[in-house]
């Protein structure tokens, strides 16, 4: 089992650029979550998919953030345009109840 | 008030010591509870579930007090490798987990 795979591991981009983060969940897991982690705010849930359908996106900070899950094996989180305050580690996690398995995260730096 | 609250620490303890972390949660309807461990610059990983009757896994003991909405984690005979951040986690509905801010533990030789 390869676990939850995220790419890229690190991303440095300039303010105003579009950023796309990718996630491949564990096969057979029907729930997928995007979290953001910062020192100040800890782990925050951004959006949650169940069977590829977005269930709760109340944590998405603003319209600059969007997430898709076109099929059971792939999800993207897009930020457009990016801002320095978006700098954080973004984790994807997948689950088949109970408990989550996290990917290694994408460390995003917006300069 | 945060939904899941933890003392951020750090807790600095010598090897071999016993250390306890506490956590409180605000939603009385919370259904299940976990402790996750996160090493520096790594992803969180499930350490153990927390059951109403209390449960033990080797040197680790977890307790739940539903009446007080309080969860604890006890680590006996601390090892250097126990140094990490410990996240208290609550499942309120469906499959959504809410994470506390974490408690940092540093075990010194």
């Amino acid at each position: 089992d390869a676990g939850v795979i995220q790419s890229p591991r690190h991303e440095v981009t300039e303010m105003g650029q579009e950023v796309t983060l990718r996630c491949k969940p564990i096969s057979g897991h029907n729930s997928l979550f995007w979290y953001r982690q910062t020192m100040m705010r800890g782990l925050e849930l951004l959006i949650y998919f169940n069977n590829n359908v977005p269930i709760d996106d109340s944590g998405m900070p603003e319209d600059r953030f969007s997430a898709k899950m076109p099929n059971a094996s792939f999800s993207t989180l897009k930020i457009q345009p990016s801002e320095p305050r978006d700098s954080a580690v973004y984790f994807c996690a997948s689950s088949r109840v109970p408990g989550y398995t996290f990917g290694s995260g994408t460390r995003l730096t917006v300069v | 008030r945060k939904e899941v609250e933890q003392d951020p620490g750090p807790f600095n303890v010598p090897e071999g010591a016993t250390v306890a972390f506490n956590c409180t949660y605000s939603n009385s309807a919370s259904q299940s509870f976990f402790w996750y461990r996160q090493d520096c610059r790594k992803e969180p990983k499930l350490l153990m579930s927390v059951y109403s009757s209390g449960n033990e896994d080797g040197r680790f003991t977890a307790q739940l007090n539903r009446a007080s909405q309080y969860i604890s984690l006890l680590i006996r005979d601390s090892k250097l490798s126990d140094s990490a951040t410990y996240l208290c986690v609550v499942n309120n509905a469906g499959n959504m987990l809410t994470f506390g801010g974490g408690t940092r533990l540093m075990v010194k030789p």
Side-chain angles (χ1 to χ4, degrees):
Chain A
D1 185 351
V4 177
I5 299 173
Q6 289 188 249
S7 63
R9 289 296 302 274
H10 302 274
E11 176 83 31
V12 180
T13 191
E14 291 186 346
M15 182 173 66
Q17 295 297 306
E18 177 181 302
V19 176
T20 299
L21 311 181
R22 296 173 176 79
C23 175
K24 177 178 168 55
I26 293 173
S27 176
H29 282 193
N30 59 348
S31 298
L32 183 140
F33 307 82
W34 283 100
Y35 280 85
R36 176 172 69 177
Q37 187 173 39
T38 60
M39 287 292 291
M40 291 297 294
R41 301 173 69 95
L43 266 169
E44 301 174 282
L45 177 66
L46 300 178
I47 188 168
Y48 157 37
F49 292 88
N50 195 43
N51 294 322
N52 313 339
V53 176
I55 303 299
D56 186 340
D57 66 354
S58 59
M60 296 286 262
E62 48 198 273
D63 291 346
R64 297 185 297 107
F65 285 68
S66 62
K68 293 182 180 179
M69 191 164 185
N71 57 61
S73 59
F74 184 65
S75 177
T76 59
L77 177 68
K78 184 179 293 186
I79 308 172
Q80 181 184 24
S82 57
E83 296 182 4
R85 62 191 166 118
D86 301 330
S87 298
V89 180
Y90 291 80
F91 286 106
C92 175
S94 72
S95 172
R96 198 170 68 184
V97 180
Y100 290 8
T101 302
F102 282 84
S104 300
T106 295
R107 186 170 295 274
L108 174 65
T109 304
V110 184
V111 299
Chain B
R1 183 186 171 194
K2 287 185 180 178
E3 200 168 336
V4 181
E5 298 222 46
Q6 297 181 248
D7 180 342
F11 285 57
N12 295 295
V13 303
E15 264 186 298
T18 294
V19 61
F21 308 136
N22 303 320
C23 163
T24 57
Y25 60 96
S26 60
N27 187 343
S28 59
S30 296
Q31 299 169 353
S32 51
F33 309 88
F34 309 90
W35 283 99
Y36 274 68
R37 170 190 169 132
Q38 186 172 23
D39 292 289
C40 188
R41 302 180 81 85
K42 298 284 190 181
E43 71 273 23
K45 292 183 178 178
L46 178 64
L47 177 65
M48 59 194 302
S49 300
V50 186
Y51 302 119
S52 296
S53 54
N55 49 298
E56 191 173 300
D57 183 0
R59 298 181 293 109
F60 297 81
T61 301
Q63 297 275 0
L64 168 64
N65 184 324
R66 285 189 183 269
S68 302
Q69 294 178 208
Y70 169 97
I71 305 160
S72 66
L73 177 68
L74 182 79
I75 305 175
R76 289 181 298 280
D77 188 23
S78 300
K79 311 291 185 191
L80 296 176
S81 57
D82 294 334
S83 298
T85 296
Y86 291 83
L87 301 162
C88 177
V89 185
V90 171
N91 182 342
N92 291 326
N95 196 17
M96 287 175 54
L97 299 183
T98 301
F99 286 76
T103 298
R104 190 173 169 208
L105 171 66
M106 299 187 67
V107 181
K108 302 290 177 72

